[in-house]
Amino acid sequence: FTLVVLGWSHFYQLLALFCLAIVLYKLTVLLMLKRALIRNFESFPGPPGHWLFGNILEFKQDGNDLDKLVKFGQKYPYCFPLWFGPFVCFLNIHHPEYVKTILASTGPKDDLAYSFIQNWIGNGLLVSQGQKWFRHRRLLTPGFHYDVLKPYVKLMAHSTKTMLDKWESYAKTNKPLEVFEYVSLMTLDTILNCAFSYDSNSVYELSNLINLRFRIFPYHNDLIFYLSPHGFRYRKACMVAHSHTEEVIKKRREALKKEKELERIQAKRNLDFLDILLFAKDENQQGLLDEDIRAEVDTFMFEGHDTTASGISFLLYNLACHPKHQKLCRKEIMQVLHGKDTMDWEDLNKIPYTTMCIKESLRMHPPVPGISRKTTKPITFFDGRTLPAESRIGTSVFGIHRNASIWENPNVFDPLRFLPENISKRPPHAFVPFSAGPRNCIGQNFAMNEMKVVIAMTLLKYELLEEPTLKPKIIPRLVLRSLNGIHIKIKNANQN
């Protein structure tokens, strides 16, 4: 019996030594990684960070984080590194020439930030890379041709009218109106009508959980997140979202079995995004797999509704805060519509001043405040500084749009910045609300059209008023949001 005990004792000692060796090995690897990261970023000065938490403690999630990034940008021209914990570092860039270098490539998105979203939206255009991305981009481009977008304008107008009718009680009572919730439902309704059927609650839940995961460093570990209550909610919401998507694809594929050409469908009804996906064929006459179609459907659902909702909500807020510009927009819209209460396709390009106001709002409050990439090869910037392959780079869209060396009085709302003669004086990459280069937003025309329709119909019906006691506390999530909502007051426009 004593020998057995001694044998087990010896076994446990060996097991303990083995575990200790594994821990020491892991620590050595991490320390080497830390040393390599410090060496890689040594030519890029930035804000000092905590040895364990990095710069995370600088950001309080209180509505001032983006302003803090702008202040860092004033101190560190072009770019600066930010540490998320001890072993993850992003080079945060905020100058057009740096942005040009990054966005000119078709390099992949960062595998950390975007990996959190991949379980939901799959390997669609937002996160795919290489030949798969090229193929999908080519096959999806016809889905955003103006012939397909044209009928969407009436659907956008219908969803907008439904939303504006719900606002009547606020116009009568002078109560503050929180617009983001209403606008988000409206843009989701537009997507449902323009593309396919879907479940809205799961989209909202997934967006929030992905943001939460990125902010909580231990949740970067797949196992820890999987075992957490938030991980359980995430998996449940993914299952609901995917089951809805799969059901829609299955039903539509069945309905289209007898049709061989898109033109025949278009003769009977308006095409939607799902029609384009199901009929897409490459040069070898190969279509998309159901898994790929689901990924693109989920990607379009996320990118097409949440980002546009952010852009429209902040546009309403900015015009409420700047009545002079709002009045000029309303006058222009009334002249173009000649008594109509809705927008048509032909009206979209006849409102230049309103379009400049939309662009200025996108400058001040970009719906996607940042984009991250991971380099596949060494990269040299215009000032001669270099980064090796496998480096993470965060493009601060908010920081570029508020860069005082590019934009005079960047915190002032001034639509005239977007007069053609003023645009020509700025670097092309000074304004990138839809990204730029080969991986720019494929749906930017869809988004701009929707913003024009919504603002035109809103200003026809209501005057927007600032609510100074409820200023938004803006925060970067997957899209730009406000901690306390986006509040304005409204009254009927014909009361003036």
Side-chain angles (χ1 to χ4, degrees):
F1 177 76
T2 304
L3 288 173
V4 171
V5 171
L6 287 172
W8 277 109
S9 174
H10 185 61
F11 170 77
Y12 283 126
Q13 287 175 358
L14 288 174
L15 182 63
L17 285 171
F18 177 75
C19 292
L20 181 61
I22 292 291
V23 170
L24 289 173
Y25 171 75
K26 287 284 188 182
L27 281 174
T28 303
V29 169
L30 288 172
L31 286 171
M32 289 173 66
L33 171 63
K34 175 81 170 181
R35 193 170 296 171
L37 284 171
I38 291 172
R39 185 170 60 249
N40 293 345
F41 289 97
E42 63 184 354
S43 59
F44 302 94
H50 187 273
W51 69 272
L52 178 61
F53 299 108
N55 300 110
I56 289 176
L57 299 178
E58 300 263 8
F59 302 103
K60 312 292 185 185
Q61 300 290 315
D62 58 358
N64 297 309
D65 291 350
L66 288 169
D67 290 332
K68 186 162 287 186
L69 285 177
V70 173
K71 286 180 181 175
F72 285 154
Q74 291 167 353
K75 187 174 181 181
Y76 306 103
Y78 306 135
C79 61
F80 52 88
L82 283 177
W83 289 83
F84 294 86
F87 309 115
V88 177
C89 186
F90 282 82
L91 183 67
N92 189 81
I93 63 176
H94 57 93
H95 189 277
E97 290 302 320
Y98 264 61
V99 174
K100 179 181 177 181
T101 305
I102 296 301
L103 299 188
S105 78
T106 56
K109 300 293 179 74
D110 164 53
D111 60 355
L112 174 65
Y114 290 94
S115 66
F116 299 156
I117 200 175
Q118 202 159 354
N119 285 341
W120 168 21
I121 65 171
N123 202 18
L125 269 187
L126 183 64
V127 295
S128 60
Q129 54 185 288
Q131 286 303 312
K132 181 165 188 171
W133 176 83
F134 277 108
R135 180 173 182 263
H136 281 218
R137 178 82 182 204
R138 191 170 67 251
L139 292 178
L140 266 64
T141 297
F144 297 93
H145 189 271
Y146 72 88
D147 280 340
V148 177
L149 295 179
K150 190 174 179 179
Y152 290 173
V153 172
K154 288 191 184 302
L155 300 175
M156 292 170 178
H158 177 76
S159 298
T160 303
K161 186 179 185 306
T162 302
M163 177 185 74
L164 296 177
D165 289 344
K166 294 176 183 177
W167 291 4
E168 278 288 352
S169 60
Y170 292 96
K172 293 173 182 174
T173 60
N174 199 37
K175 288 182 180 177
L177 162 67
E178 200 290 300
V179 296
F180 193 94
E181 183 179 349
Y182 283 99
V183 172
S184 187
L185 288 171
M186 182 273 298
T187 58
L188 186 57
D189 187 53
T190 298
I191 290 290
L192 297 180
N193 284 308
C194 296
F196 28 65
S197 178
Y198 212 83
D199 177 74
S200 59
N201 292 329
S202 58
V203 174
Y204 193 80
E205 173 89 341
L206 285 163
S207 295
N208 284 340
L209 288 169
I210 290 161
N211 283 310
L212 180 77
R213 186 179 182 187
F214 187 75
R215 296 198 313 274
I216 299 176
F217 179 65
Y219 277 1
H220 290 192
N221 180 277
D222 289 338
L223 181 62
I224 293 173
F225 184 69
Y226 184 90
L227 296 174
S228 72
H230 294 112
F232 174 79
R233 282 169 52 197
Y234 178 78
R235 292 193 302 279
K236 185 177 178 181
C238 268
M239 286 174 61
V240 172
H242 290 161
S243 64
H244 274 268
T245 310
E246 287 161 2
E247 184 66 20
V248 170
I249 294 169
K250 181 182 174 183
K251 286 181 178 177
R252 182 66 62 85
R253 195 182 283 282
E254 191 68 29
L256 295 179
K257 266 187 177 178
K258 295 178 182 178
E259 300 291 351
K260 301 298 181 186
E261 296 178 356
L262 276 176
E263 288 75 14
R264 292 181 61 182
I265 302 171
Q266 199 165 13
K268 299 175 184 177
R269 61 170 173 82
N270 294 327
L271 294 178
D272 64 23
F273 185 63
L274 191 50
D275 293 323
I276 304 292
L277 290 175
L278 287 168
F279 274 86
K281 295 277 194 301
D282 61 18
E283 60 274 11
N284 299 317
Q285 293 304 300
Q286 295 297 308
L288 295 167
L289 301 173
D290 276 4
E291 178 187 348
D292 294 331
I293 293 173
R294 192 191 77 181
E296 299 303 351
V297 166
D298 289 339
T299 298
F300 189 44
M301 174 56 59
F302 159 61
E303 287 205 277
H305 123 259
D306 225 17
T307 52
T308 313
S310 175
I312 292 170
S313 299
F314 281 106
L315 172 61
L316 294 168
Y317 172 76
N318 282 318
L319 288 181
C321 294
H322 299 91
K324 179 182 76 172
H325 298 300
Q326 181 187 157
K327 190 174 180 180
L328 289 170
C329 288
R330 184 179 291 106
K331 182 179 178 182
E332 177 183 67
I333 290 160
M334 290 175 73
Q335 287 173 345
V336 168
L337 297 186
H338 299 297
K340 292 189 300 182
D341 64 352
T342 189
M343 287 282 279
D344 293 318
W345 173 263
E346 294 74 22
D347 303 319
L348 295 176
N349 292 322
K350 297 177 182 176
I351 48 173
Y353 192 83
T354 306
T355 303
M356 289 194 294
C357 286
I358 292 172
K359 289 180 178 179
E360 177 65 348
S361 185
L362 291 173
R363 181 191 70 81
M364 294 194 72
H365 296 100
V368 179
I371 308 162
S372 58
R373 294 277 182 91
K374 189 173 184 180
T375 60
T376 55
K377 55 186 178 182
I379 191 166
T380 301
F381 295 104
F382 80 105
D383 59 356
R385 290 186 288 181
T386 62
L387 273 180
E390 303 296 303
S391 297
R392 292 189 170 97
I393 299 175
T395 299
S396 175
V397 178
F398 190 91
I400 299 158
H401 289 183
R402 301 286 183 118
N403 189 330
S405 68
I406 306 298
W407 302 92
E408 187 177 351
N409 299 320
N411 296 320
V412 173
F413 186 87
D414 180 11
L416 298 183
R417 299 178 197 275
F418 291 94
L419 285 169
E421 58 268 30
N422 291 332
I423 293 174
S424 65
K425 297 173 186 174
R426 290 191 299 269
H429 290 78
F431 180 65
V432 286
F434 299 106
S435 188
R439 292 198 73 133
N440 68 349
C441 174
I442 194 173
Q444 59 184 286
N445 289 330
F446 179 95
M448 283 297 292
N449 291 349
E450 188 168 11
M451 294 184 79
K452 290 177 182 181
V453 170
V454 174
I455 200 61
M457 292 181 64
T458 302
L459 293 184
L460 277 180
K461 187 165 186 175
Y462 297 118
E463 181 181 349
L464 313 178
L465 307 167
E466 183 183 8
E467 175 47 75
T469 62
L470 290 168
K471 291 187 179 295
K473 298 178 179 178
I474 58 174
I475 46 170
R477 292 287 186 259
L478 288 175
V479 301
L480 194 69
R481 293 184 181 272
S482 167
L483 280 171
N484 58 334
I486 302 172
H487 294 83
I488 61 172
K489 286 185 176 180
I490 60 173
K491 67 179 183 181
N492 288 314
N494 57 16
Q495 289 179 0
N496 297 325

